[in-house]
Amino acid sequence: MTNAARMERGEIQEHMPVVGSDGRPFGTVDRIAGAYIKLSKSDPLAEGEHRYLPRSTVAGLDGGLVRLSMPARQAWQATLTEAEMEQRLTLDAAERADLGVEPDTRPHGSRAHAHGGPKGQRQHGTSGQAPGPGGRLSTGAKNIG
């Protein structure tokens, strides 16, 4: 059920119907995912999977409906499948930020283990040093951490 106060503020809410500018039904909001509207996979047009529609395609809210700035057929071409979204997330840090996904700053690949692996293990720059007060680094600078 939609919250009237949130709708007046122009907020898209879960379970709101989405229609194209041509008035044709497009889907139902599952949730907002950053710069995208995640559409319900139970809609007949969804073909059993979530689709992601850019929020930039929304023209506005109209009587409890999310009205798009383009016809439903054109909007369908602008959606991404779950697999396409996953691929974008692995390739594009900006896309991850648009969805509110925290950046992964840990090393990846074969060198990840050499650089300390998971948090809480050896830190970069302390390789081979015994625990205790810092000594000198290979550059001659004093290690203070």
Side-chain angles (χ1 to χ4, degrees), residues 9-89:
R9 290 193 305 259
E11 294 180 34
I12 299 170
Q13 299 173 59
E14 296 175 1
H15 310 295
M16 288 180 88
V18 181
V19 296
S21 62
D22 55 0
R24 294 183 63 194
F26 185 74
T28 305
V29 175
D30 184 64
R31 67 180 179 89
I32 298 299
Y36 291 88
I37 298 171
K38 183 178 181 181
L39 299 169
S40 174
K41 65 181 178 180
S42 62
D43 287 324
L45 296 174
E47 300 172 349
E49 72 175 326
H50 292 287
R51 295 247 176 198
Y52 293 84
L53 179 68
R55 287 175 60 182
S56 61
T57 61
V58 174
L61 301 180
D62 183 19
L65 299 173
V66 177
R67 188 160 308 272
L68 302 177
S69 61
M70 59 186 70
R73 181 171 290 198
Q74 185 179 353
W76 183 254
Q77 294 170 347
T79 63
L80 299 172
T81 64
E82 288 181 291
E84 290 169 330
M85 184 57 76
E86 284 298 318
Q87 183 179 17
R88 281 186 174 208
L89 290 175

Side-chain angles (χ1 to χ4, degrees), residues 5 8 12-13 19 35 49 61 93-94 102 105 109 111 121-122:
E8 283 181 20
I12 299 170
Q13 299 173 59
V19 296
E49 72 175 326
L61 301 180
E102 292 293 321
T105 58
R111 297 193 56 164
Q121 291 186 0
R122 192 171 32 139

Side-chain angles (χ1 to χ4, degrees), residues 124-127 129-130 132-145:
H124 185 70
T126 60
S127 178
Q129 291 183 3
R136 297 239 177 232
L137 299 175
S138 60
T139 61
K142 184 171 173 95
N143 183 4
I144 56 174

